[in-house]
Amino acid sequence: MASKELKNIFLSASIPLPERDAKYFETADIVAIRDAIIALTTVVLPKHKLIWGGHPSITPLIYYVMEKLGLNIQEHVQMYQSLWFKDKFPEDNNRFENIVFTESLKDIPSSIQLMRERMLFENDYAAAVFIGGMNGIEDEYRMFIEKHQKAILLPIASTGAATRILYDTLLPDQFKNERLLKDYGYMSLFQNLLIDKI
């Protein structure tokens, strides 16, 4: 497929940590989060481009799919990372060529905010997928809809955590779909609700 036909899909995802806000961890379905990320990557990467913020619980899963599929398609992935965390970057980062490093500012919140602004405002997106996560999911959702008003929004509410809260409280009714709540057949879900529609 010619690169001009590649569409950007934004992924906002993480696996909640028990030591952080309990409201995210208590409802998180960690198996579903992993399954959804693996299915999304499997369905999207051969045809389009996945862009994400390099969360250490997510990046290894994306690389796992690339390896499993035998895909050498570095142009189909782009990761953003804040240099604030440069001493904690996971080893898997070294396996990706397309990493955008953003400046380290005075503290973690401002450094993450800068990374998100660049990630969300420097690219055009056909869709955004939200999986699991903590407060960053809600922050990225609000930023995303400000800039990309025509994009498809897919919060995979069955993965629980922040994405379920997003689905219940922030998502406009026209994007709600019973499959996002109850369908764990993520391969067909992403094929039908994402790939077939962009």
Side-chain angles (χ1 to χ4, degrees), residues 30 54 83 88 104 128 159 174 180 188 198:
I30 292 170
L83 288 170
K88 298 178 183 173
S104 176
T159 62
Q174 74 259 32
L180 298 173
S188 66
I198 59 174

Side-chain angles (χ1 to χ4, degrees), residues 149-163:
Q149 290 157 10
K150 295 183 178 174
I152 293 169
L153 302 173
L154 286 179
I156 310 304
S158 58
T159 62
T163 298

Side-chain angles (χ1 to χ4, degrees), residues 16-26 133-135 138:
L17 301 168
E19 63 269 21
R20 295 275 293 278
D21 195 326
K23 73 178 178 181
Y24 302 123
F25 185 74
E26 284 167 1
M134 296 177 283
N135 56 311
E138 296 167 74

